[in-house]
């Protein structure tokens, strides 16, 4: 699909962007700016403050007072990212939902091209290529996932970076589970429900994932343990199938960081 065709297809679509935030005052402005700069006109940004103790709330309130597209939802107690995203989805009004964390960013035309291609092709789950960037904005790697994904493909690796994924609300109610790798479990469920997912075609990555030193996602041993638990307890795979998929997961995890 051409960019022009994608833009025409996206006309009239409404998108809810869910952004959880906890003590994110140092980074959230760039993230919010990247949403408000989207060329897709009809969107809402729902920021869920997870009981921050810094200036996050005041900063988001300033954005909300100047732009009606920004909505602030406050959680009275710190409940974690899964609960925050669920709170955002509970009040979302869009035909589509996309996610962006408070330290990541998007290309300005990400939603326009993504929603346009989804509407044109009748797709209900999509994702895109993205770059992993360091705290100094240096590009660490570019992640180019497969062009199409089945549920079986997703068992081999989490090919859908949460900041790249979008789904149609026609798939029904969805929620994040409070479990390690909650993003992965969510997209496993959505791809299964949709019968597959498609990569959005563009000449460049459409999202930028911040890699922090000492982040939870950087703890590879903990992440591997979460992955194993998902295979055995969530997907309820046999020991043999779990071992096979675990080998795929480890291989793909290394490939993302090349």
């Amino acid at each position: 699909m051409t960019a022009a065709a994608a833009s025409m297809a996206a006309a009239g679509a409404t998108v809810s962007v869910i952004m959880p935030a906890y003590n994110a005052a140092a980074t959230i402005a760039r993230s919010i700016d990247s949403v408000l700069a989207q060329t897709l006109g009809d969107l809402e940004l729902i920021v869920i403050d997870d009981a921050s103790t810094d200036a996050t709330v005041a900063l988001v309130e300033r954005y909300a007072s100047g732009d009606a597209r920004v909505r602030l939802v406050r959680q009275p107690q710190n409940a974690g990212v899964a609960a925050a995203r669920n709170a955002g989805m509970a009040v979302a009004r869009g035909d589509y939902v996309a996610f962006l964390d408070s330290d990541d960013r998007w290309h300005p035309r990400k939603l326009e091209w993504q929603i346009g291609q989804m509407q044109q092709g009748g797709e209900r789950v999509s994702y895109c290529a993205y770059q992993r960037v360091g705290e100094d904005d240096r590009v660490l790697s570019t992640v180019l996932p497969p062009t199409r994904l089945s549920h079986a493909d997703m068992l081999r690796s989490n090919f859908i970076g949460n900041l790249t994924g979008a789904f149609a609300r026609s798939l029904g109610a969805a929620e994040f589970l409070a479990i390690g790798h909650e993003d992965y479990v969510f997209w496993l469920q959505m791809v299964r429900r949709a019968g597959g997912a498609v990569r959005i075609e563009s000449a460049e990555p459409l999202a930028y994932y911040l890699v922090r030193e000492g982040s939870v996602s950087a703890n590879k041993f903990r992440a591997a343990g979460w992955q194993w638990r998902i295979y055995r307890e969530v997907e309820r795979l046999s020991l043999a199938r779990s071992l096979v998929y675990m080998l795929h997961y480890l291989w793909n995890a290394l490939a993302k960081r090349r």
Side-chain angles (χ1 to χ4, degrees):
M1 171 188 283
T2 66
S7 300
M8 290 179 61
T14 60
V15 182
S16 296
V17 181
I18 310 297
M19 181 182 291
Y22 175 69
N23 289 349
T27 61
I28 195 171
R30 292 183 75 189
S31 302
I32 291 176
D33 287 341
S34 79
V35 175
L36 300 183
Q38 291 295 301
T39 53
L40 180 79
D42 198 353
L43 65 82
E44 63 173 354
L45 170 60
I46 305 170
V47 181
I48 307 90
D49 178 70
D50 197 19
S52 294
T53 58
D54 68 355
T56 297
V57 169
L59 195 156
V60 177
E61 285 178 337
R62 286 200 294 272
Y63 274 99
S65 66
D67 195 318
R69 295 175 296 174
V70 181
R71 301 168 60 193
L72 174 64
V73 175
R74 299 187 66 179
Q75 298 198 132
Q77 295 182 328
N78 182 261
V81 67
R85 290 185 183 129
N86 289 339
M89 286 192 289
V91 299
R93 299 184 291 231
D95 304 311
Y96 297 85
V97 173
F99 303 95
L100 187 67
D101 284 348
S102 58
D103 54 3
D104 298 330
R105 293 176 291 120
W106 282 340
H107 184 288
R109 302 192 74 173
K110 190 256 191 187
L111 290 180
E112 176 191 347
W113 289 341
Q114 183 164 32
I115 302 307
Q117 290 186 39
M118 289 178 72
Q119 290 196 318
Q120 187 77 5
E123 308 290 349
R124 296 196 289 174
V125 175
S126 72
Y127 51 94
C128 62
Y130 66 98
Q131 288 180 331
R132 300 171 64 252
V133 299
E135 294 180 88
D136 58 357
D137 282 340
R138 178 171 51 92
V139 175
L140 303 177
S141 64
T142 298
V143 181
L144 181 65
T147 56
R148 298 197 71 90
L149 291 171
S150 65
H151 180 258
D153 294 326
M154 284 289 289
L155 286 173
R156 296 180 176 91
S157 179
N158 183 13
F159 290 110
I160 301 179
N162 198 54
L163 76 164
T164 78
F167 73 93
R169 295 293 291 280
S170 61
L171 284 172
E175 68 174 355
F176 285 81
L177 302 178
I179 184 174
H181 277 346
E182 66 276 341
D183 298 353
Y184 177 47
V185 174
F186 180 84
W187 291 112
L188 269 172
Q189 295 173 343
M190 300 310 286
V191 171
R192 186 204 296 270
R193 195 182 298 182
V198 63
R199 187 184 76 203
I200 299 308
E201 296 304 320
S202 67
E204 56 189 309
L206 298 180
Y208 313 97
Y209 172 77
L210 179 64
V211 178
R212 295 174 183 246
E213 283 294 324
S215 66
V216 171
S217 60
N219 189 324
K220 299 175 181 59
F221 291 105
R222 180 184 297 179
W226 288 339
Q227 189 76 13
W228 182 256
R229 182 183 174 194
I230 290 166
Y231 289 147
R232 297 291 283 156
E233 298 179 15
V234 178
E235 291 293 316
R236 299 190 181 278
L237 301 180
S238 67
L239 178 60
R241 290 187 70 199
S242 296
L243 287 169
V244 170
Y245 282 124
M246 193 69 188
L247 290 174
H248 283 287
Y249 162 78
L250 294 172
W251 173 261
N252 283 298
L254 290 173
K256 286 181 183 178
R257 288 157 176 80
R258 289 173 186 165

